[in-house]
Amino acid sequence: MATINVYEQYFKAEGIFSGVERKAVNVMLVSDSEAGTIRYELGLSFFPHRTDDDFAISYDAWFSEVLYEASGRRSRKREEALLATLRDEADKLAAENGARIIWESPLIEARRG
């Protein structure tokens, strides 16, 4: 199985999970391929971000959704299409879990793999 972080970026966020205020989120698009099947998954991990250098990821506020799964292999064209809808999908997933991503406030530059 090959797992690749297609996209990852940290943003300011709002939410409360397990009684702890979360002020940031790690937004990820991850691809997994195995035996001729490709899967792309959106992942959100909300964390406290108590100081500017606090990027300690919380596993009690992790949410994910499979955006695409089919026979085939990794495709740059498919990835660009998924990235074009990533914010809408992430907003929906965050809202379903009582949180909000503040897209106008990135904490780091986007990383692409």
Side-chain angles (χ1 to χ4, degrees):
M1 177 185 288
T3 301
I4 298 169
N5 284 354
V6 175
Y7 168 87
E8 179 177 28
Q9 190 168 12
Y10 294 79
F11 294 91
K12 287 188 177 181
E14 297 173 345
I16 297 176
F17 301 97
S18 301
V20 177
E21 183 179 14
R22 311 305 166 103
K23 297 180 182 178
V25 63
N26 181 13
V27 179
M28 297 165 277
L29 178 63
V30 178
S31 74
D32 287 319
S33 61
E34 181 177 13
T37 300
I38 185 75
R39 181 173 103 163
Y40 289 92
E41 183 175 5
L42 164 64
L44 303 178
S45 181
F46 291 88
F47 59 101
H49 195 61
R50 294 180 178 109
T51 63
D52 288 343
D53 61 347
D54 176 14
F55 288 91
I57 298 299
S58 301
Y59 294 98
D60 65 337
W62 164 260
F63 307 99
S64 66
E65 179 180 340
V66 174
L67 300 179
Y68 179 87
E69 185 170 13
S71 295
R73 58 183 180 193
R74 191 172 174 204
S75 160
R76 187 172 307 274
K77 185 176 178 180
R78 184 178 304 117
E79 288 174 5
E80 291 304 320
L82 290 169
L83 287 169
T85 63
L86 187 74
R87 286 189 178 197
D88 291 337
E89 295 294 333
D91 282 338
K92 184 175 113 185
L93 185 58
E96 288 172 358
N97 291 285
R100 182 173 83 92
I101 301 167
I102 305 169
W103 297 105
E104 303 79 33
S105 298
L107 298 172
I108 65 165
E109 294 295 318
R111 293 184 252 186
R112 302 278 305 262

